[in-house]
Amino acid sequence: MRGSLVRVVLVSALALVVTACGGSGGGGGGGDITVGYAGPTLNNAFFVGLQKGVKDGAKEHGFQLKETNANGDAGAQFNQTQDLITQDVDALVLVPIDANGIVPAVQAANNADIPVYTLDRGAEGGELASVVETNNVEAGKKGANYIVDLLRERYGEPRGNVVDLQGLVGTTAAADRETGFQQVMKQYPDIEIVANQPADFDQEKALNVTTNILQANPKVDAIFGANDDNTVGAIRAIDSANRYEPPSSDEHIYVVGIDGTAQALDAIRNDKQTATVSQNPVEMARTAMDFIDQQINQDKTPPKEYFYPTIVIDKENIDSQEVKEYGIWSNQVK
């Protein structure tokens, strides 16, 4: 719903951060503008949310929309992006699977004077009109600090055994979340990272990785997942290993993720997941479409980097007004 308090505040903020500039390509009304969207996959609820936001934004501004889905294949995404460029779209929106591999496509769009926007993830080269994403370093820090507080409450000081399930190697989101997580954890030498492995933002991979980690580690206090697919897979592994204990037990394994998916919120309600650092991909993508309208139809320069805010959701605040105003995005993509 665009009537939420958060949306009103953010739209007001956009008017402040976007400044006028000399020509940036142009078109008439929204119906004259075609936007190409190169999505990474639809096997992850977060990316379904991004797609919905792109569609909603295109409809709102009257853009024509050409969509592709790479099904997790970086090479396919590169080819699909090149195809969109040859179709002479007026703007490109990318969610790069490989931040380095997508660079030649970004450069090809630059050469064709097509502005390139990225969502959730950046690219390691080429000129981007704007990167609209979560501050992933801060999201990693939020998750880490939440775990530190839990361990301090359990032991009277920050100590214990923690598992770190990283995201998809090669994406800026995974790298930044790992950076933020590690920056916090390095401040607490009595917290031992007993395992640090990629789970690729994938439930099945997280299930298999966590299963092996639990077999090798009889004592685990907490698991950090770089996204909620990682945590949902970890929860399945905990259950399969008969390692689940209720939150009242000192043997309970805290599980903290990032995204705010429906599965994660259900797990929080059921005391299986402790918290998630929620994003809002629907509104994040709509924000990028606002920027495209402002650049092409209003001759305004978008911010090079725009961080959409996050909120930590746990059992205590999941039904709060604050969370409702932020938006439970997973309700929109069922």
Side-chain angles (χ1 to χ4, degrees):
M1 296 289 293
R2 288 180 72 87
S4 72
L5 175 61
V6 170
R7 182 68 180 168
V8 171
V9 171
L10 287 170
V11 169
S12 298
L14 297 186
L16 296 176
V17 298
V18 178
T19 57
C21 76
S24 59
D32 298 327
I33 303 302
T34 300
V35 176
Y37 174 62
T41 180
L42 293 176
N43 292 329
N44 179 304
F46 179 83
F47 297 123
V48 176
L50 286 180
Q51 183 195 51
K52 175 175 171 53
V54 168
K55 287 183 173 181
D56 289 352
K59 182 177 181 180
E60 177 183 348
H61 293 296
F63 297 152
Q64 300 297 315
L65 184 63
K66 295 181 182 292
E67 303 173 71
T68 64
N69 171 22
N71 291 312
D73 186 326
Q77 185 180 53
F78 175 83
N79 291 332
Q80 289 166 352
T81 303
Q82 295 280 26
D83 287 343
L84 289 170
I85 293 169
T86 63
Q87 294 177 53
D88 200 27
V89 296
D90 296 284
L92 272 174
V93 180
L94 310 178
V95 187
I97 297 171
D98 185 329
N100 287 297
I102 200 65
V103 169
V106 174
Q107 293 170 334
N110 296 158
N111 291 335
D113 292 326
I114 298 171
V116 180
Y117 291 74
T118 66
L119 289 173
D120 182 54
R121 306 164 173 178
E124 293 296 338
E127 181 69 21
L128 300 178
S130 186
V131 180
V132 182
E133 62 180 341
T134 294
N135 187 329
N136 286 298
V137 173
E138 289 303 314
K141 287 181 177 180
K142 282 186 178 182
N145 281 316
Y146 196 97
I147 289 172
V148 170
D149 289 343
L150 291 169
L151 297 179
R152 183 182 286 113
E153 182 178 353
R154 171 172 287 180
Y155 293 116
E157 59 182 346
R159 65 180 177 87
N161 295 340
V162 174
V163 170
D164 177 18
L165 298 179
Q166 299 178 38
L168 181 63
V169 175
T171 63
T172 57
D176 287 349
R177 291 174 193 181
E178 178 67 7
T179 294
F181 178 78
Q182 290 294 343
Q183 284 178 353
V184 171
M185 286 300 172
K186 286 176 182 177
Q187 301 174 40
Y188 302 98
D190 292 331
I191 296 178
E192 182 179 358
I193 308 299
V194 296
N196 183 314
Q197 292 182 232
D200 295 352
F201 295 143
D202 182 85
Q203 288 190 26
E204 293 301 319
K205 179 76 177 287
L207 167 63
N208 294 330
V209 168
T210 308
T211 296
N212 293 333
I213 290 171
L214 292 175
Q215 289 175 351
N217 294 276
K219 178 61 176 176
V220 171
D221 291 292
I223 296 175
F224 172 72
N227 80 337
D228 283 335
D229 273 1
N230 280 8
T231 59
V232 170
I235 290 166
R236 290 169 58 194
I238 291 169
D239 287 343
S240 295
N242 294 317
R243 295 277 290 272
Y244 177 76
E245 296 291 343
S248 58
S249 170
D250 285 342
E251 298 303 311
H252 177 73
I253 300 175
Y254 302 117
V255 180
V256 177
I258 296 175
D259 275 353
T261 66
Q263 285 180 294
L265 297 184
D266 286 344
I268 288 171
R269 293 185 184 280
N270 294 323
D271 292 326
K272 294 294 186 76
Q273 182 159 328
T274 315
T276 182
V277 181
S278 184
Q279 306 183 81
N280 193 324
V282 177
E283 293 301 328
M284 186 188 301
R286 288 173 74 157
T287 298
M289 301 301 275
D290 289 344
F291 286 155
I292 291 173
D293 176 66
Q294 291 165 355
Q295 180 177 15
I296 293 179
N297 289 327
Q298 302 174 44
D299 253 1
K300 296 179 178 178
T301 301
K304 283 290 186 180
E305 190 171 47
Y306 183 82
F307 290 138
Y308 200 91
T310 59
I311 186 171
V312 176
I313 300 177
D314 58 17
K315 191 73 174 285
E316 291 187 5
N317 74 350
I318 193 169
D319 293 316
S320 69
Q321 187 63 29
E322 179 186 21
V323 170
K324 289 177 182 177
E325 289 179 351
Y326 178 83
I328 304 294
W329 64 267
S330 58
N331 290 342
Q332 302 180 51
V333 298
K334 289 182 178 180

